[in-house]
Amino acid sequence: MLVKAPMYKIILLFLAFILFTPDTWAQETPERIKYRATGELRSGKRNGLPVDILKENVVLTHKDTRIYGDSAYIFKGTNSAEVFGKRVLVEEGDTITITGKKLTYDGNTKNALMERDVVYQDPTMTLYTDYLDYDMEAKLATYYDGGKLIDEENTLTSKTGYYQTDIKFVSFKEDVVLINPEYTIVSDTLQYNTNTKVAFVKGPSTITSADSTVLLTDDGEFQTTEQISNFRNGIVETDKYILYGDRLFADDIAQYYNAEGNVKFVDKQEPSIITGNKAESWKITGITKVY
């Protein structure tokens, strides 16, 4: 015979299940920021909130992040900090450093806002800007008001940039310029892998070589070390001709160009126009074939 348990016992059992559920159900407590200083350490208020005030040789540690500065406010209630100095230094792991004049750091989200004369460095490149928003959990560093990235091959500048630090991939937007001793790229949107040195252009873009050869496109990729391009809706212009194609392959070092789809060859010297489905051009020999 089945006997039903009283309702109060069912409720007690349910509460016990919630209270003693496995740890995976529990909210993880954020790790607290640890700090020390060789000078002053006292309590006070900032913006109406209670803080610990640190001065001289300030050191903050949080997980794998170390922060150094001249002075700091520690907001224990929100597990956050403001750090100031002639050179505030952030070290993340063993490979990433960020310097600036003021840092706002959130220990709950691991978000760092560095301001004024900011320099971000990792093994593949150096980034200069005046305001850097770095989400350490998402591995995303962002600048909004102008920045310059320098690696061993190129110098890139833009108004806005987004750097995915784990995969070494940067997205530049607005007034993008990539400068190399052999060429210059101007674009509205450019993505760049600091490991492979490959640039991806989106929107109207121009590549000007040292010998004044100009490549134009609105979509494609450019291997900056080999100077090889694969473009859609591409145009190559030299001092003697202009070559159009739906798809354009260019080897700037070999000075060889290949166009396919709605090909148009414009001879500036004669002047004449030849159309076809495919074209090959060798700038050194001055030979162009249209098929």
Side-chain angles (χ1 to χ4, degrees):
M1 180 177 179
L2 183 64
V3 179
K4 291 185 178 179
M7 181 58 69
Y8 76 89
K9 288 187 178 181
I10 295 174
I11 294 173
L12 288 174
L13 285 170
F14 179 69
L15 290 174
F17 175 74
I18 293 176
L19 291 173
F20 297 101
T21 191
D23 291 341
T24 53
W25 283 42
Q27 289 285 338
E28 183 180 351
T29 303
E31 184 174 325
R32 307 299 296 179
I33 298 172
K34 299 179 179 66
Y35 49 93
R36 66 179 187 271
T38 59
E40 183 180 1
L41 198 166
R42 62 181 175 85
S43 298
K45 284 195 172 182
R46 179 167 174 78
N47 300 326
L49 298 174
V51 295
D52 279 352
I53 302 171
L54 288 71
K55 292 186 178 180
E56 295 182 28
N57 299 316
V58 174
V59 180
L60 282 63
T61 58
H62 184 244
K63 297 184 179 180
D64 62 345
T65 301
R66 300 167 300 282
I67 302 169
Y68 306 87
D70 297 331
S71 62
Y73 296 104
I74 308 297
F75 299 84
K76 291 190 289 186
T78 58
N79 195 28
S80 60
E82 292 180 3
V83 185
F84 306 86
K86 293 181 180 178
R87 183 178 181 267
V88 178
L89 169 65
V90 177
E91 295 178 338
E92 186 190 7
D94 299 324
T95 59
I96 294 174
T97 63
I98 310 170
T99 59
K101 300 295 179 63
K102 176 187 176 183
L103 172 72
T104 303
Y105 181 75
D106 189 325
N108 296 331
T109 63
K110 290 205 70 179
N111 195 82
L113 300 175
M114 187 70 87
E115 301 177 57
R116 300 196 297 273
D117 300 328
V118 180
V119 180
Y120 172 104
Q121 289 182 298
D122 68 24
T124 63
M125 66 90 177
T126 301
L127 173 65
Y128 301 89
T129 185
D130 271 331
Y131 183 92
L132 186 71
D133 183 347
Y134 182 30
D135 187 332
M136 296 181 180
E137 292 289 353
K139 305 296 182 184
L140 179 65
T142 306
Y143 63 84
Y144 303 100
D145 195 24
K148 178 170 69 174
L149 182 152
I150 298 175
D151 66 14
E152 59 186 4
E153 301 287 342
N154 308 294
T155 297
L156 296 101
T157 58
S158 69
K159 186 173 182 180
T160 305
Y162 309 89
Y163 182 39
Q164 295 171 263
T165 63
D166 54 344
I167 61 174
K168 312 302 181 188
F169 198 78
V170 198
S171 296
F172 300 93
K173 294 182 181 296
E174 296 184 68
D175 304 325
V176 183
V177 179
L178 185 156
I179 297 175
N180 181 285
E182 302 298 327
Y183 53 84
T184 299
I185 301 177
V186 178
S187 180
D188 179 69
T189 300
L190 183 146
Q191 297 173 320
Y192 181 67
N193 189 310
T194 61
N195 270 334
T196 64
K197 315 300 182 187
V198 175
F200 304 87
V201 293
K202 306 287 183 182
S205 305
T206 303
I207 301 175
T208 305
S209 301
D211 65 355
S212 299
T213 299
V214 178
L215 299 171
L216 297 98
T217 184
D218 55 17
D219 188 15
E221 68 177 59
F222 181 63
Q223 299 175 29
T224 63
T225 51
E226 291 85 2
Q227 297 185 44
I228 291 176
S229 310
N230 280 285
F231 293 146
R232 285 166 287 282
N233 300 319
I235 302 171
V236 56
E237 181 173 3
T238 72
D239 57 339
K240 296 180 180 179
Y241 64 82
I242 305 173
L243 179 63
Y244 302 80
D246 291 343
R247 296 172 301 281
L248 178 68
F249 170 85
D251 185 333
D252 284 337
I253 294 177
Q255 296 189 12
Y256 167 78
Y257 310 101
N258 182 311
E260 295 184 1
N262 295 308
V263 168
K264 182 167 68 172
F265 176 82
V266 179
D267 191 328
K268 292 181 176 180
Q269 297 177 315
E270 300 261 321
S272 60
I273 298 175
I274 304 172
T275 60
N277 296 319
K278 180 179 178 180
E280 292 181 283
S281 178
W282 295 264
K283 185 178 178 182
I284 294 175
T285 62
I287 296 173
T288 298
K289 296 180 180 180
V290 181
Y291 306 89

